[in-house]
Amino acid sequence: PTDALVELDISNNLLNGTLENLKPVRVITLALSNNNFSGEVTFDMSIVQNLYLDSNLFTRFDASIPEPTLAVCTADH
């Protein structure tokens, strides 16, 4: 898509906070691994194609979000 950010990688920064209701522009790859994000992951998955959430402190992942466009999603640890 022409209005998409190709990659946003803020992994390995010890960032904290929540990702609830995150509404960025469309992102092909969103990498948030190895931080201290917490709470529920409930943002609109249709804006992301590749999502990396590994090694954070999330308590819940809402997989019921309608029609995600995810090709890759990792949320280990």
Side-chain angles (χ1 to χ4, degrees):
T2 58
D3 61 341
L5 179 63
V6 175
E7 181 174 358
L8 177 60
D9 185 347
I10 55 173
S11 299
N12 304 302
N13 286 293
L14 300 176
L15 299 173
N16 59 34
T18 64
L19 299 178
E20 296 170 23
N21 302 313
L22 181 68
K23 294 180 183 180
V25 296
R26 180 150 170 68
V27 180
I28 303 300
T29 299
L30 179 58
L32 304 173
S33 299
N34 300 307
N35 283 294
N36 291 315
F37 291 119
S38 61
E40 299 181 4
V41 178
T42 59
F43 61 89
D44 181 357
M45 297 290 176
S46 67
I47 61 170
V48 181
Q49 191 169 353
N50 304 302
L51 179 61
Y52 301 94
L53 300 172
D54 305 289
S55 299
N56 280 287
L57 304 171
F58 297 117
T59 56
R60 183 169 173 253
F61 185 86
D62 186 351
S64 66
I65 298 169
E67 299 188 41
T69 58
L70 291 173
V72 174
C73 180
T74 63
D76 297 340
H77 303 106

